[in-house]
Structures are given as structure tokens and as C-alpha cells.
Amino acid sequence: MRCALAAALAAAGLIANAGPAAAERLVASLTNHHVTITSNYTGVELVLFGSVERDPTALVRRGPYDIVATITGPRQSLRTRRKSRVLGIWVNTAARTFVNPPSYLAVLASRPLDAITSADNQRRLRLGIANTPLAEMIDNDIGVVNNDPFRVALVRLMRERHLYEEEPDAVTFLTPTLFRAAISLPAQVPIGNYDVDVKLFADGNLIAQSDSAFEIVKAGFEQFMVDAARKHGLAYGLAAAMMALLTGWIASVVFRRD
Amino acid sequence: MQIYLPIADIPVNVFLVLTMGLAVGFVSGMFGIGGGFLMTPLLIFIGVQPGVAVASVTTHVAASSLSGAIAYWRRNALDSTLALTLLAGGIVGSACGVALFTWLRALDQLDLVIGLSYVTLLSVVGVLMVGEGVRAIIRSRQGKPVELRRPGSHVWFHGLPLKVRFKRSKVYVSAIPVLAIGFIIGFVGAIMGIGGGFLLVPMLIYLVRVPTATVIGTSMVLTFLTMLSATVLHAATNHLVDAVLALILMVGGVIGAQFGAHAGQRIRGEWLRLFLGLLVFLVGLRFAFDLVLRPEDLYSIRLIGGAP
């Protein structure tokens, strides 16, 4: 009996290593899949919630479950620049272009990543900001350099703006199988599609995975303004100029004192 | 009260932006300058991206300088012949400035040149204006009459041909230096993204000897015309004009400019020039600190490839 249990556990481990197909199923969803930006928009908070559904016929695991949720925003190219002193003046002298890094990246976990799975697994599964590949242009080649000072600076600056976040205690288990996590998006995150990738770990192994997504869009007046500015630039400019003329004229009439 | 700016893509406090518009509007109405060199850095400071800040400020400055210009026009305190002559030089200058702007950007040194020209121009002009203002005040304190116009002191270019009589300003000079001043303002304005009023006012006073009474109104007309065309150009080419931001700034700006224009008429010319000189110098100093002091963070990131 003990032998059979050990064999089953080993098999489960093997399967987990081969891919997320095991006795558990992961169900996750968001409170809102469609965030609209209106004139009073100051950022938004979404809640990711889900549950682990056990196959009743399978063996009960002993170790606790762990969740790692990765939220990836739309990709935009960035340039990281470094200043140095030239003739007493600080000038941008070196720069590196990062090709399509995520504009928003949040790694929310139920425990510190090192406690959830091995460093090897983290690298393989690209878990955490440190293991997220950020491709940069180096002499017309695109490569990933992990200890590059430009990459370190990019991650630091993005974290300062709350655009890159890694929180090891953001996911909480309400019951042993039911979890929730708050995703708080600052107001400056770009509009577009956001991917939410949820991974379930047990005993250091990935056992299930679930994908979700949400989008941030402009609505109503905000969308109208963007369309007008982008598609009908000249008309928009003339309208802005008319607005300036009208405002200036009204003010001079209102404030006329003689 | 927070409001989301559709083009700048950030939420801002309406009252904060309104107050900034009022304050800069007051300064611009008082001195007859557009105030772009004050407003643009302020907007960047509260988190608006530089491109949107420059483009939206042109719209704000157009409205602010129009209401100021009308106020001066009612008092018959502007010279339209002078303004149009300056504008003719200004158009050619802007075209040359835009060409240099494009060339510098190709060399990847535009930021440095903008920073250096702000420092040099603002601190030199500021020091000159403060010096002149202090000398004028000392002269009037000693009981000597204030020499605003020295009929005998002819500069070399007063001998140039193409003499034009600018009736309202009571000056009779060659059109060549006036066109040249317009050219310089247009050129510098295109590179630095400013209306150039703070340069134009002292140049007209010291070089062409335009009386203080008409110089501010005239400068406002020129600023209005250049900024209005800049708004249309920015919107049509870069799509960076945020009309909501511009409207909030405008409402604050035009109100501020009215009070500023009234205050400016009450303050004596030499004090006005001293204050403007100090203000210009301080902004120049602020830019100098940015260039000379070791930055808090040597690294910076910039979004490339289109708007978000």
C-alpha cells in the first residue's frame, strides 16, 4: 500500500513536470474583464478569484497549494538611457533599446517564489520579474542579458512607477482550495489587452494552469477625443484654435472694465 | 477633483491645473509674455509627457495672449504695423528653426541643445534685464529723470535703409532690424518650443526703442498669431494637443491674464523689467541645475515607437 502511494505520487510528479494535467483542475476568473476609462478614472482594482477542484477519485495531496498569478500588459518598446558627465554637464551618453517589454507586469503569489518552487523551475516557467525575458537590441542583434545594468535600471524604474510589481503575499487562500487576489492598476497603465496567467503549485511542482484576460479601453467622450485627435488631426487642431479664440474673446468681454 | 485627460492619458487635479493656469496667466498678462517657458516645465513636473505639454501649452498661450492683446488694443496700447512686420520675419525664422530641429534630432543631440539654449538664453537675458532694471531704479532714486528714450543715442543699424514709421510706437526705424528680430524669435521659438515674448519685449525696448506702453500689447499680438498656428500644426502632425488640458489651462490663463494686464499697467516700467528679469533668470538657473548637478538617477526610460 505504501509502495503504491509512493508510486502514485511519483507518477503525479512526473505528469506535473510533463505538463499541467493532474488530479486538480484550476478555475480562475476576474471580477471584471472590461475596464472602461471615463473622465473620473484614477486607476482600477480588479479581483482575481478561483478555486482548485480536486478529482474526488484521486489521492489527497498533503502539501498546501500555492498560486502564482502573472498579469502582463500590452507590449511597448522602451529606451533606457544612462547619463554621464561631459565637460561638467550631465548628458545621456549611453542607451539601450528594449524590444517590446510588457508595459505592465505584476507577479502575485501566495508565498515567496523561492518557497513555492525551485529556482530551476522558476527559470524554466519564467516566474517572477527576474526570470521574465526582456529582449534588448545589442548591435542590431536581439538578446536577453539578465545582469545588464540597463535591464536592472529598467526594472527598478518600472517598479518605482508601480508598473512592475512582485508581491509574495497578494494571493490569499480563503479555504484550502478557494483563493483571491487583488490586482490594483495605477492610472498610468496603458490601454489595451492584459493577460492573466494563473499557475497552481503543490509540493514545488506545477500541477495546473489557467489563463484569463481583461482589457482596458477608453469610452464615450474620451474615446471620441482620441479618435478626433488621431484621425482628423487638422480639424481637431482648427477646433482647438477656435476654442482658444473663443475663450480669449469671452474673457476679454467678461472682464471689460471700461 | 480628479479628471482624466484623454490625450495625455493621466488623471490630474482640476483645481491644481486651474491654479497653474491662473498664476502663469497673471505673469503673462503683466509682462506681455506667453508664459510657455513657465507652463511647460510645470506640466512636465506634474507628470504630463513633454510632447503633450508643449503642444497643449501652445493652445493655452494662444487664448491667454488673445485676451491680453484685446485688453491692450482697447487701450490703444499696441502697434499692429510693428506686429505684422515682426510676424513676416518670424515665419521665415520658424521655418529655419524647424529645419535645424529636424537635423539635430537626427544627430540624437536635440535634448542637450534644448537644455543648453534654455540655460544660456534665460540666464543671459535675465542678468541683462536685472542689471538694466536696477540701473534705471537707481537713476530714478537719485532724482534723475528716467531715460526711456534717448533720441541722441543712435545705434549703427538706425542708419540702415527701408525706413518705416511705426506711428503708434512713435519710432522711425529701418524695417531690417525689425524683420531680423522677428526672424530670431521665430527661429528660437521653433527650437525651444516657446513663444519668445520674454526675448521680444527687451529686444524691442533696447534695440528698436519701442516705448514700454506699446511693446507689451504688440508682443501679445505676435505671440497670439504664432501660437495659434503652432496649435494647428502640432495637432495636424503630432496629434499631441490635449484639448481638455488646454481648456482648463485656458480658463485659468485668460482670467489670470486680465488681472495681470491691469497690474502691469500700474507698476512702473523699470520695476516690471526687473521682476521679469529675475523670473527669467531663476528659470534659467533651474535648468542649469538640472544640467550641472549629479542627477538623482543616472538612468531614465523613454517610450519609443508611437503614442500609448
Side-chain angles (χ1 to χ4, degrees):
Chain A
M1 179 63 197
R2 188 175 284 179
C3 262
L5 183 70
L9 276 177
L14 271 175
I15 293 165
N17 275 334
E24 278 87 356
R25 222 161 60 83
L26 179 63
V27 183
S29 187
L30 294 154
T31 44
N32 189 358
H33 293 274
H34 191 80
V35 177
T36 48
I37 292 180
T38 48
S39 60
N40 54 4
Y41 176 77
T42 54
V44 72
E45 186 160 293
L46 298 176
V47 176
L48 169 74
F49 58 92
S51 82
V52 183
E53 295 194 344
R54 290 197 183 108
D55 183 347
T57 61
L59 291 156
V60 175
R61 266 172 216 285
R62 284 188 192 156
Y65 292 119
D66 279 308
I67 292 287
V68 179
T70 309
I71 299 106
T72 315
R75 291 171 182 276
Q76 292 170 340
S77 287
L78 291 171
R79 206 163 158 80
T80 306
R81 303 168 297 181
R82 182 174 59 205
K83 284 195 165 80
S84 62
R85 199 168 215 162
V86 180
L87 300 170
I89 295 168
W90 289 91
V91 187
N92 287 326
T93 47
R96 204 51 73 73
T97 302
F98 286 84
V99 185
N100 293 326
S103 58
Y104 178 79
L105 179 65
V107 181
L108 311 176
S110 50
R111 281 196 293 162
L113 294 181
D114 287 336
I116 292 174
T117 187
S118 65
D120 226 34
N121 264 346
Q122 288 178 38
R123 250 195 313 280
R124 203 167 46 80
L125 296 169
R126 297 178 170 180
L127 277 193
I129 296 173
N131 295 308
T132 304
L134 298 173
E136 45 188 297
M137 288 284 280
I138 304 157
D139 304 327
N140 297 326
D141 264 346
I142 294 178
V144 177
V145 193
N146 274 337
N147 294 323
D148 179 31
F150 286 95
R151 183 202 155 105
V152 173
L154 173 73
V155 170
R156 180 170 48 79
L157 289 165
M158 294 297 269
R159 287 188 88 140
E160 277 172 18
R161 294 169 198 195
H162 303 287
L163 290 172
Y164 280 17
E165 279 182 303
E166 195 168 306
E167 291 178 35
D169 53 358
V171 181
T172 47
F173 273 93
L174 306 169
T175 72
T177 57
L178 195 65
F179 65 88
R180 78 185 289 279
I183 306 168
S184 66
L185 296 159
Q188 69 267 28
V189 296
I191 55 167
N193 291 312
Y194 288 71
D195 291 323
V196 182
D197 167 66
V198 188
K199 286 186 168 72
L200 175 68
F201 289 84
D203 302 327
N205 294 314
L206 173 67
I207 55 170
Q209 196 168 355
S210 164
D211 288 324
S212 189
F214 62 92
E215 60 172 346
I216 300 182
V217 291
K218 286 181 185 171
F221 174 70
E222 279 66 32
Q223 186 55 47
F224 169 77
M225 292 292 280
V226 174
D227 281 348
R230 299 259 160 84
K231 292 175 191 153
H232 314 283
L234 186 63
Y236 180 90
L238 289 171
M242 281 308 293
M243 183 174 83
L245 281 171
L246 206 67
T247 316
W249 177 71
I250 289 173
S252 74
V253 171
V254 169
F255 290 93
R256 186 169 186 168
R257 293 195 178 169
D258 39 34
Chain B
M1 194 177 88
Q2 298 274 318
I3 189 166
Y4 188 86
L5 302 176
I7 308 293
D9 274 331
I10 55 154
V12 291
N13 188 317
V14 179
F15 299 111
L16 176 71
V17 178
L18 208 59
T19 312
M20 280 163 52
L22 271 171
V24 175
F26 185 83
V27 172
S28 67
M30 187 146 114
F31 300 121
I33 56 174
F37 79 101
L38 290 170
M39 188 52 97
T40 309
L42 275 176
L43 286 179
I44 295 170
F45 181 74
I46 65 162
V48 178
Q49 43 168 312
V52 176
V54 168
S56 309
V57 163
T58 57
T59 320
H60 150 69
V61 171
S64 193
S65 50
L66 174 66
S67 78
I70 294 176
Y72 280 93
W73 175 70
R74 288 221 180 95
R75 285 183 210 101
N76 202 13
L78 62 85
D79 190 326
S80 48
T81 323
L82 184 61
L84 290 176
T85 315
L86 286 166
L87 185 67
I91 290 165
V92 182
S94 297
C96 294
V98 169
L100 182 67
F101 188 93
T102 315
W103 183 66
L104 284 172
R105 193 161 56 179
L107 293 180
D108 223 4
Q109 291 302 337
L110 183 67
D111 291 357
L112 178 65
V113 172
I114 289 177
L116 281 175
S117 31
Y118 259 98
V119 171
T120 337
L121 207 65
L122 295 185
S123 46
V124 168
V125 172
V127 165
L128 284 176
M129 290 176 77
V130 169
E132 216 285 332
V134 168
R135 272 198 303 277
I137 289 162
I138 290 173
R139 269 200 307 271
S140 67
R141 282 276 155 86
Q142 287 169 343
K144 292 177 192 165
V146 182
E147 296 175 56
L148 259 185
R149 291 155 69 72
R150 281 159 279 187
S153 62
H154 267 224
V155 194
W156 59 270
F157 60 69
H158 285 137
L160 288 172
L162 276 172
K163 289 230 174 189
V164 180
R165 189 176 300 280
F166 296 105
K167 268 188 210 146
R168 188 63 198 84
S169 302
K170 299 190 186 90
V171 284
Y172 181 59
V173 287
S174 158
I176 294 169
V178 179
L179 286 169
I181 290 171
F183 178 88
I184 292 168
I185 299 298
F187 185 76
V188 171
I191 292 174
M192 292 169 59
I194 52 172
F198 73 98
L199 275 177
L200 180 64
V201 171
M203 277 172 129
L204 289 180
I205 291 175
Y206 301 132
L207 300 179
V208 191
R209 305 251 182 259
V210 176
T212 325
T214 54
V215 77
I216 294 177
T218 307
S219 158
M220 283 209 154
V221 173
L222 186 71
T223 309
F224 163 66
L225 292 172
T226 50
M227 289 291 108
L228 198 68
S229 53
T231 293
V232 179
L233 282 175
H234 273 302
T237 56
N238 307 316
H239 315 298
L240 288 176
V241 176
D242 194 311
V244 175
L245 175 63
L247 183 66
I248 305 171
L249 290 176
M250 247 178 230
V251 171
V254 289
I255 298 171
Q258 294 294 319
F259 290 113
H262 284 282
Q265 299 250 315
R266 271 184 228 119
I267 299 174
R268 297 176 60 142
E270 60 267 27
W271 280 101
L272 212 56
R273 277 174 281 154
L274 179 67
F275 292 148
L276 179 59
L278 274 174
L279 188 68
V280 168
F281 179 69
L282 286 176
V283 176
L285 210 61
R286 173 76 184 72
F287 275 92
F289 274 132
D290 281 350
L291 282 178
V292 175
L293 288 188
R294 186 192 164 86
E296 239 172 69
D297 199 330
L298 291 181
Y299 289 90
S300 58
I301 46 179
R302 180 170 66 91
L303 204 66
I304 52 172

PDB file of all heavy atoms in Angstrom, chain A residues 19 35 52 58 71 94 96 103 123 137 164 183 206 222 249 253 256:
ATOM      1  N   GLY A  19       3.571  18.433 -17.827  1.00  0.00           N
ATOM      2  CA  GLY A  19       2.600  19.446 -18.227  1.00  0.00           C
ATOM      3  C   GLY A  19       1.494  19.498 -17.203  1.00  0.00           C
ATOM      4  O   GLY A  19       1.333  18.575 -16.400  1.00  0.00           O
ATOM      5  N   VAL A  35     -12.481  47.029 -18.527  1.00  0.00           N
ATOM      6  CA  VAL A  35     -12.350  48.247 -17.725  1.00  0.00           C
ATOM      7  C   VAL A  35     -12.477  49.441 -18.665  1.00  0.00           C
ATOM      8  O   VAL A  35     -11.746  49.538 -19.649  1.00  0.00           O
ATOM      9  CB  VAL A  35     -10.978  48.297 -17.014  1.00  0.00           C
ATOM     10  CG1 VAL A  35     -10.816  49.587 -16.232  1.00  0.00           C
ATOM     11  CG2 VAL A  35     -10.798  47.094 -16.109  1.00  0.00           C
ATOM     12  N   VAL A  52      -9.519  25.520  -6.579  1.00  0.00           N
ATOM     13  CA  VAL A  52      -8.846  24.310  -7.019  1.00  0.00           C
ATOM     14  C   VAL A  52      -9.873  23.197  -6.919  1.00  0.00           C
ATOM     15  O   VAL A  52     -10.429  22.959  -5.848  1.00  0.00           O
ATOM     16  CB  VAL A  52      -7.641  24.017  -6.113  1.00  0.00           C
ATOM     17  CG1 VAL A  52      -6.890  22.785  -6.614  1.00  0.00           C
ATOM     18  CG2 VAL A  52      -6.731  25.222  -6.026  1.00  0.00           C
ATOM     19  N   ALA A  58      -9.157  10.912  -6.971  1.00  0.00           N
ATOM     20  CA  ALA A  58      -7.699  10.933  -6.870  1.00  0.00           C
ATOM     21  C   ALA A  58      -7.253  11.008  -5.418  1.00  0.00           C
ATOM     22  O   ALA A  58      -8.052  11.260  -4.519  1.00  0.00           O
ATOM     23  CB  ALA A  58      -7.152  12.117  -7.645  1.00  0.00           C
ATOM     24  N   ILE A  71       0.311  38.943 -14.380  1.00  0.00           N
ATOM     25  CA  ILE A  71      -0.516  39.819 -15.212  1.00  0.00           C
ATOM     26  C   ILE A  71       0.433  40.582 -16.136  1.00  0.00           C
ATOM     27  O   ILE A  71       1.344  41.269 -15.668  1.00  0.00           O
ATOM     28  CB  ILE A  71      -1.362  40.792 -14.373  1.00  0.00           C
ATOM     29  CG1 ILE A  71      -2.312  40.009 -13.471  1.00  0.00           C
ATOM     30  CG2 ILE A  71      -2.179  41.728 -15.260  1.00  0.00           C
ATOM     31  CD1 ILE A  71      -1.909  40.003 -12.038  1.00  0.00           C
ATOM     32  N   ALA A  94      24.794  56.915 -23.011  1.00  0.00           N
ATOM     33  CA  ALA A  94      24.619  55.527 -23.422  1.00  0.00           C
ATOM     34  C   ALA A  94      23.144  55.183 -23.345  1.00  0.00           C
ATOM     35  O   ALA A  94      22.420  55.716 -22.502  1.00  0.00           O
ATOM     36  CB  ALA A  94      25.416  54.599 -22.518  1.00  0.00           C
ATOM     37  N   ARG A  96      20.086  51.889 -24.352  1.00  0.00           N
ATOM     38  CA  ARG A  96      19.806  50.537 -24.807  1.00  0.00           C
ATOM     39  C   ARG A  96      18.318  50.465 -25.104  1.00  0.00           C
ATOM     40  O   ARG A  96      17.504  50.979 -24.331  1.00  0.00           O
ATOM     41  CB  ARG A  96      20.161  49.591 -23.657  1.00  0.00           C
ATOM     42  CG  ARG A  96      20.500  48.145 -23.965  1.00  0.00           C
ATOM     43  CD  ARG A  96      21.532  47.907 -25.002  1.00  0.00           C
ATOM     44  NE  ARG A  96      22.915  48.188 -24.652  1.00  0.00           N
ATOM     45  CZ  ARG A  96      23.659  47.439 -23.833  1.00  0.00           C
ATOM     46  NH1 ARG A  96      23.166  46.415 -23.212  1.00  0.00           N
ATOM     47  NH2 ARG A  96      24.905  47.748 -23.626  1.00  0.00           N
ATOM     48  N   SER A 103       4.400  46.502 -20.769  1.00  0.00           N
ATOM     49  CA  SER A 103       4.263  47.833 -20.172  1.00  0.00           C
ATOM     50  C   SER A 103       3.766  47.716 -18.741  1.00  0.00           C
ATOM     51  O   SER A 103       3.861  48.647 -17.969  1.00  0.00           O
ATOM     52  CB  SER A 103       3.283  48.661 -20.996  1.00  0.00           C
ATOM     53  OG  SER A 103       2.051  47.981 -21.044  1.00  0.00           O
ATOM     54  N   ARG A 123      13.006  29.514 -13.281  1.00  0.00           N
ATOM     55  CA  ARG A 123      13.635  29.917 -14.547  1.00  0.00           C
ATOM     56  C   ARG A 123      12.906  29.309 -15.731  1.00  0.00           C
ATOM     57  O   ARG A 123      12.602  29.986 -16.704  1.00  0.00           O
ATOM     58  CB  ARG A 123      15.102  29.465 -14.547  1.00  0.00           C
ATOM     59  CG  ARG A 123      16.091  30.616 -14.453  1.00  0.00           C
ATOM     60  CD  ARG A 123      17.490  30.209 -14.810  1.00  0.00           C
ATOM     61  NE  ARG A 123      17.930  28.989 -14.173  1.00  0.00           N
ATOM     62  CZ  ARG A 123      18.368  28.917 -12.911  1.00  0.00           C
ATOM     63  NH1 ARG A 123      18.401  30.004 -12.164  1.00  0.00           N
ATOM     64  NH2 ARG A 123      18.756  27.761 -12.400  1.00  0.00           N
ATOM     65  N   MET A 137      18.105  45.342 -27.811  1.00  0.00           N
ATOM     66  CA  MET A 137      18.874  45.435 -29.058  1.00  0.00           C
ATOM     67  C   MET A 137      20.336  45.638 -28.703  1.00  0.00           C
ATOM     68  O   MET A 137      20.685  46.592 -28.017  1.00  0.00           O
ATOM     69  CB  MET A 137      18.414  46.647 -29.868  1.00  0.00           C
ATOM     70  CG  MET A 137      17.054  46.523 -30.504  1.00  0.00           C
ATOM     71  SD  MET A 137      17.068  45.488 -31.940  1.00  0.00           S
ATOM     72  CE  MET A 137      17.711  46.631 -33.140  1.00  0.00           C
ATOM     73  N   TYR A 164       5.773  47.606 -12.615  1.00  0.00           N
ATOM     74  CA  TYR A 164       6.240  46.237 -12.420  1.00  0.00           C
ATOM     75  C   TYR A 164       6.101  45.966 -10.928  1.00  0.00           C
ATOM     76  O   TYR A 164       6.561  46.768 -10.113  1.00  0.00           O
ATOM     77  CB  TYR A 164       7.707  46.078 -12.828  1.00  0.00           C
ATOM     78  CG  TYR A 164       7.941  45.922 -14.312  1.00  0.00           C
ATOM     79  CD1 TYR A 164       6.962  46.269 -15.236  1.00  0.00           C
ATOM     80  CD2 TYR A 164       9.146  45.417 -14.786  1.00  0.00           C
ATOM     81  CE1 TYR A 164       7.189  46.137 -16.586  1.00  0.00           C
ATOM     82  CE2 TYR A 164       9.377  45.283 -16.148  1.00  0.00           C
ATOM     83  CZ  TYR A 164       8.404  45.650 -17.044  1.00  0.00           C
ATOM     84  OH  TYR A 164       8.631  45.522 -18.397  1.00  0.00           O
ATOM     85  N   ILE A 183      -5.821  42.892  -7.884  1.00  0.00           N
ATOM     86  CA  ILE A 183      -4.914  43.459  -8.880  1.00  0.00           C
ATOM     87  C   ILE A 183      -5.212  44.952  -8.898  1.00  0.00           C
ATOM     88  O   ILE A 183      -6.297  45.359  -9.312  1.00  0.00           O
ATOM     89  CB  ILE A 183      -5.175  42.884 -10.282  1.00  0.00           C
ATOM     90  CG1 ILE A 183      -5.127  41.356 -10.262  1.00  0.00           C
ATOM     91  CG2 ILE A 183      -4.196  43.449 -11.295  1.00  0.00           C
ATOM     92  CD1 ILE A 183      -5.654  40.724 -11.548  1.00  0.00           C
ATOM     93  N   LEU A 206       4.421  22.368 -10.642  1.00  0.00           N
ATOM     94  CA  LEU A 206       3.287  22.983 -11.321  1.00  0.00           C
ATOM     95  C   LEU A 206       2.272  21.885 -11.606  1.00  0.00           C
ATOM     96  O   LEU A 206       2.608  20.895 -12.247  1.00  0.00           O
ATOM     97  CB  LEU A 206       3.760  23.612 -12.634  1.00  0.00           C
ATOM     98  CG  LEU A 206       2.683  24.159 -13.562  1.00  0.00           C
ATOM     99  CD1 LEU A 206       2.011  25.366 -12.934  1.00  0.00           C
ATOM    100  CD2 LEU A 206       3.276  24.530 -14.912  1.00  0.00           C
ATOM    101  N   GLU A 222     -13.945  60.314 -23.933  1.00  0.00           N
ATOM    102  CA  GLU A 222     -12.502  60.088 -24.010  1.00  0.00           C
ATOM    103  C   GLU A 222     -12.121  59.439 -25.345  1.00  0.00           C
ATOM    104  O   GLU A 222     -11.155  59.815 -25.985  1.00  0.00           O
ATOM    105  CB  GLU A 222     -12.030  59.219 -22.843  1.00  0.00           C
ATOM    106  CG  GLU A 222     -11.819  59.985 -21.543  1.00  0.00           C
ATOM    107  CD  GLU A 222     -13.096  60.545 -20.953  1.00  0.00           C
ATOM    108  OE1 GLU A 222     -14.161  59.910 -21.125  1.00  0.00           O
ATOM    109  OE2 GLU A 222     -13.044  61.611 -20.320  1.00  0.00           O
ATOM    110  N   TRP A 249     -11.610  85.621 -26.381  1.00  0.00           N
ATOM    111  CA  TRP A 249     -12.537  86.717 -26.662  1.00  0.00           C
ATOM    112  C   TRP A 249     -13.549  86.866 -25.521  1.00  0.00           C
ATOM    113  O   TRP A 249     -13.803  87.979 -25.025  1.00  0.00           O
ATOM    114  CB  TRP A 249     -13.257  86.457 -27.983  1.00  0.00           C
ATOM    115  CG  TRP A 249     -14.278  87.494 -28.315  1.00  0.00           C
ATOM    116  CD1 TRP A 249     -14.035  88.775 -28.699  1.00  0.00           C
ATOM    117  CD2 TRP A 249     -15.688  87.334 -28.242  1.00  0.00           C
ATOM    118  NE1 TRP A 249     -15.210  89.424 -28.880  1.00  0.00           N
ATOM    119  CE2 TRP A 249     -16.252  88.583 -28.610  1.00  0.00           C
ATOM    120  CE3 TRP A 249     -16.539  86.270 -27.915  1.00  0.00           C
ATOM    121  CZ2 TRP A 249     -17.616  88.769 -28.650  1.00  0.00           C
ATOM    122  CZ3 TRP A 249     -17.904  86.472 -27.960  1.00  0.00           C
ATOM    123  CH2 TRP A 249     -18.429  87.709 -28.319  1.00  0.00           C
ATOM    124  N   VAL A 253     -14.342  90.087 -23.035  1.00  0.00           N
ATOM    125  CA  VAL A 253     -15.666  90.721 -22.916  1.00  0.00           C
ATOM    126  C   VAL A 253     -16.112  90.729 -21.453  1.00  0.00           C
ATOM    127  O   VAL A 253     -16.548  91.737 -20.908  1.00  0.00           O
ATOM    128  CB  VAL A 253     -16.708  89.973 -23.792  1.00  0.00           C
ATOM    129  CG1 VAL A 253     -18.115  90.486 -23.495  1.00  0.00           C
ATOM    130  CG2 VAL A 253     -16.371  90.154 -25.256  1.00  0.00           C
ATOM    131  N   ARG A 256     -14.151  93.166 -19.313  1.00  0.00           N
ATOM    132  CA  ARG A 256     -14.049  94.535 -19.795  1.00  0.00           C
ATOM    133  C   ARG A 256     -14.424  95.490 -18.667  1.00  0.00           C
ATOM    134  O   ARG A 256     -15.448  95.321 -18.005  1.00  0.00           O
ATOM    135  CB  ARG A 256     -15.001  94.717 -20.979  1.00  0.00           C
ATOM    136  CG  ARG A 256     -14.856  96.042 -21.625  1.00  0.00           C
ATOM    137  CD  ARG A 256     -15.613  96.060 -22.915  1.00  0.00           C
ATOM    138  NE  ARG A 256     -15.330  97.312 -23.583  1.00  0.00           N
ATOM    139  CZ  ARG A 256     -15.654  97.554 -24.828  1.00  0.00           C
ATOM    140  NH1 ARG A 256     -16.266  96.636 -25.525  1.00  0.00           N
ATOM    141  NH2 ARG A 256     -15.363  98.699 -25.378  1.00  0.00           N
TER     142      ARG A 256
END
